[in-house]
Amino acid sequence: MKKSTMAGIGAAAVLAMAAFAAGCGGSSDSASGTSTEATTTTTTPTPQGGIARYALQSDADFTDPALAYYSVSWNIEYATCAKLLNYPDTAGIPGAELQPEVAEAMPTLSNGDKTYTFTVRDGFKFSPPSNARVTAMTFKKVIERDLNKAMNSPAQSFAGDILGAKEYTAGTAKEISGVKVDGNKISITLVKPAADFLSRIAMPFFCAVPENTPINANGVLAPAGAGPYYIKSRTPSRQIVLAKNPNYGGDRKTSLNGMIFSIGSPATASLLDVKSNVTDWAADGLPPASHQELAREYGPTSQAAKDGDQRYFVNPSLSFRYLALNTSRPLFSNLKLRQAVQYAINRPALLAQRGAYAGTPTDQYLPPGVPGYVNENIYPINGPDVAKAKELAGDIHEKAIMYTCDTSPCPETAAIVQQNLKAIGIDVEVRQFARAIQFSKEGTKGEPFDIAFEGWQADYPDPYDFLNVLLDGRTIKDANNVNFSYLSDPAVNAKLDAAAATTGSDRAATYAKLDAELVRDVSPLVAWGVDNDRDFFSDKVGCILHHAVYGIDIATMCKHA
């Protein structure tokens, strides 16, 4: 998804632009973080309203739904948005099952499964300063705003198959021919059937905003929303304030009166503030070295948990971390050399830099929880096979330029990549950047890097959002790319198209086969880890729920008086 905290992880666009239940699971003391603990409910305080205070190391990118794409931004959007369809406030993978929200019911399909017709229900109104009704026309205007060329919204990548969308964005049509409103009904017609369309229309980009919301590529700081909370104010790089929406007409249950995100707190300071209950949640990560102690003192097997005061939670995310090998450059245009890197990389060592319970090693592009994931173990995930890597690489002495972020644990992880590839004759020069600059550079066609240190978090739980979005060469443009391998292979594109056209159980089976084939026979990305979300809270909050798509569900949280 989205995202910005991923690579620095610190996110379904990229972890570049991403943070990632009820029940219980196993535990682990492994420094590599192989825990699969998945509990997200503390002893629940009696809901008393109040204001929760959260700490952010870095600001959100936007709070305008048309533009917001960092994981923390989507976390906020999930609490402040109302959409035709949405995910329920349910923990884990079951929470990734869509249900009607502003729509009365799931849409009816017609026209060869290309036209979706939604009936918009009454009762939803916008937050202050507006109190306007949410109507079918609201969503037509939202789609038009997203697809307006001047808005430069990432939504354009997810709605381009709506009939007439390309013409509207290009400015050759005044309306989107595939979007029609008739009273309280809105119909959306696609160019061809798409099994993932409902997941896409439920993305925060398509959140209801008032029809008079300005077209502004810089975004609106505090747009009116129709969700259970709304963005009361935002001071960039300082603070984001949410308040309960007095006009909310939906069914989601809330307790808090509001939330305040304070921006600019270092991870070490946030950790101390949460421990001392000055802050209620470190919303975008903790120091890597802190997790072992936090799990021992406050995790699901701790004495605190037995006493009903669990404060540290570990939950798997729909994400993966990888090295993108730039196939448009001479070095990694060589398939055998790309495969050699797969064998040379020490995946557990890379994960260990993120601290205890960081995640699990992987060599695949689809993470567990996404339809089509099958554990294949194509390359060594428990440590490198240097002999096999050298056999594939041959007798080489090459230089590679690697882009990564400039905050820990990026430099430490890059040093391991340097060491791993030196063993097979590749001298890696590491260039560090602020995360936003790194992401922008990697997304620029022709930028002189050979390896990009990246990650991807699901925009929505469908394999298309991983394989097609990251590897379709036809999406490569001059800038703002997420295909960081710059793979442009007509044969791969054809297989991606065939997989995208499948539905039901055939879809999962087709994508499972394609995932294995791409990893084994094409190798444009070197997957090395699936993240866990690791969250730490004060003892003043409860009702903690981890959602498969959005991470911690701030809309459900509650607080002691």
Side-chain angles (χ1 to χ4, degrees):
M1 125 206 228
K2 21 188 186 234
K3 308 59 157 81
S4 159
T5 52
M6 197 94 172
I9 297 194
V14 170
L15 290 183
M17 299 272 318
F20 277 27
C24 59
S27 63
S28 170
D29 292 326
S30 167
S32 65
T34 56
S35 170
T36 56
E37 313 194 34
T39 56
T40 51
T41 304
T42 61
T43 296
T44 302
T46 302
Q48 298 288 341
I51 304 294
R53 297 181 180 275
Y54 309 141
L56 286 173
Q57 300 171 58
S58 302
D59 199 359
D61 55 343
F62 297 96
T63 40
D64 186 323
L67 298 170
Y69 208 20
Y70 282 12
S71 49
V72 67
S73 308
W74 277 25
N75 190 261
I76 291 170
E77 302 294 342
Y78 185 47
T80 58
C81 275
K83 299 171 284 188
L84 288 168
L85 305 178
N86 204 351
Y87 300 100
D89 292 302
T90 305
I93 300 302
E97 297 174 1
L98 288 170
Q99 64 182 23
E101 185 176 28
V102 183
E104 285 186 352
M106 298 300 285
T108 59
L109 271 70
S110 59
N111 186 26
D113 289 347
K114 292 186 292 187
T115 298
Y116 295 76
T117 301
F118 299 85
T119 301
V120 173
R121 70 179 192 172
D122 292 330
F124 277 85
K125 290 184 177 182
F126 286 108
S127 63
S130 174
N131 64 352
R133 293 173 54 243
V134 177
T135 66
M137 183 59 71
T138 299
F139 290 101
K140 179 177 187 292
K141 295 299 184 182
V142 164
I143 296 172
E144 290 176 348
R145 182 172 185 261
D146 284 341
L147 295 183
N148 188 301
K149 184 177 182 178
M151 198 69 208
N152 198 27
S153 170
Q156 293 169 16
S157 299
F158 297 97
D161 59 342
I162 296 176
L163 187 66
K166 295 188 185 312
E167 293 82 357
Y168 180 80
T169 300
T172 59
K174 293 184 178 180
E175 290 189 315
I176 304 170
S177 58
V179 181
K180 303 290 186 184
V181 169
D182 181 10
N184 65 343
K185 296 183 185 296
I186 179 172
S187 65
I188 303 172
T189 299
L190 308 181
V191 173
K192 60 182 179 181
D196 65 338
F197 173 70
L198 293 183
S199 295
R200 286 186 273 135
I201 204 66
M203 295 168 74
F205 299 127
F206 304 101
C207 166
V209 294
E211 295 176 25
N212 63 353
T213 305
I215 302 293
N216 185 342
N218 293 318
V220 176
L221 287 180
Y229 292 92
Y230 73 101
I231 300 166
K232 185 175 182 180
S233 67
R234 179 187 177 194
T235 305
S237 301
R238 290 187 60 191
Q239 190 180 77
I240 301 170
V241 178
L242 308 188
K244 186 174 288 189
N245 180 4
N247 302 326
Y248 179 58
D251 304 321
R252 298 175 67 182
K253 305 302 181 185
T254 60
S255 171
L256 295 171
N257 292 332
M259 310 167 216
I260 298 174
F261 289 83
S262 297
I263 300 161
S265 176
T268 51
S270 296
L271 172 63
L272 294 174
D273 285 345
V274 176
K275 279 188 173 183
S276 60
N277 296 320
V278 173
T279 296
D280 293 310
W281 177 38
D284 60 352
L286 296 158
S290 69
H291 293 283
Q292 193 79 53
E293 177 189 356
L294 289 174
R296 183 173 57 251
E297 292 188 9
Y298 303 108
T301 60
S302 67
Q303 185 61 47
K306 294 175 184 177
D307 294 339
D309 189 27
Q310 181 181 343
R311 296 168 59 184
Y312 179 80
F313 300 88
V314 179
N315 292 281
S317 68
L318 299 179
S319 69
F320 80 115
R321 292 181 184 272
Y322 63 90
L323 305 177
L325 306 181
N326 191 341
T327 63
S328 70
R329 301 251 297 167
L331 183 63
F332 289 120
S333 63
N334 183 323
L335 171 59
K336 284 191 175 182
L337 197 54
R338 300 198 299 269
Q339 293 171 325
V341 176
Q342 298 272 16
Y343 282 98
I345 291 299
N346 188 331
R347 292 168 170 86
L350 296 176
L351 269 171
Q353 296 305 309
R354 306 198 54 74
Y357 310 104
T360 55
T362 189
D363 61 350
Q364 294 176 240
Y365 305 157
L366 296 180
V370 171
Y373 169 77
V374 176
N375 187 11
E376 297 282 359
N377 289 330
I378 297 167
Y379 297 106
I381 63 171
N382 294 318
D385 184 341
V386 178
K388 180 65 175 178
K390 287 182 175 180
E391 176 187 334
L392 286 164
D395 185 16
I396 62 168
H397 301 280
E398 299 286 351
K399 178 180 177 180
I401 297 172
M402 177 178 175
Y403 284 8
T404 189
C405 70
D406 60 0
T407 57
S408 183
C410 288
E412 296 85 350
T413 308
I416 293 173
V417 174
Q418 275 183 312
Q419 180 183 24
N420 291 163
L421 298 193
K422 187 176 182 63
I424 62 171
I426 300 177
D427 181 19
V428 178
E429 176 188 331
V430 176
R431 298 183 184 177
Q432 300 175 24
F433 305 94
R435 180 53 179 151
I437 294 173
Q438 177 201 353
F439 187 69
S440 176
K441 282 180 170 290
E442 291 168 356
T444 302
K445 184 179 179 181
E447 180 71 19
F449 70 89
D450 299 292
I451 304 171
F453 179 67
E454 275 303 335
W456 188 261
Q457 180 179 332
D459 294 298
Y460 53 93
D462 187 273
Y464 183 102
D465 189 51
F466 288 82
L467 302 189
N468 297 66
V469 170
L470 294 179
L471 297 174
D472 188 337
R474 294 163 297 187
T475 65
I476 296 173
K477 44 194 182 295
D478 290 339
N480 299 320
N481 293 295
V482 295
N483 179 347
F484 296 134
S485 70
Y486 289 89
L487 180 72
S488 185
D489 185 329
V492 170
N493 294 342
K495 291 176 181 179
L496 291 170
D497 285 346
T502 58
T503 59
S505 60
D506 288 343
R507 186 175 183 82
T510 300
Y511 270 107
K513 181 180 178 182
L514 181 56
D515 183 30
E517 183 178 336
L518 290 170
V519 171
R520 182 183 59 245
D521 301 332
V522 186
S523 288
L525 312 176
V526 180
W528 57 267
V530 173
D531 270 2
N532 286 329
D533 281 342
R534 297 165 294 175
D535 295 286
F536 181 47
F537 301 88
S538 78
D539 67 5
K540 299 297 183 184
V541 292
C543 313
I544 297 164
L545 182 152
H546 183 274
H547 191 275
V549 177
Y550 294 109
I552 295 299
D553 186 346
I554 59 175
T556 65
M557 288 177 67
C558 56
K559 190 170 183 178
H560 292 290

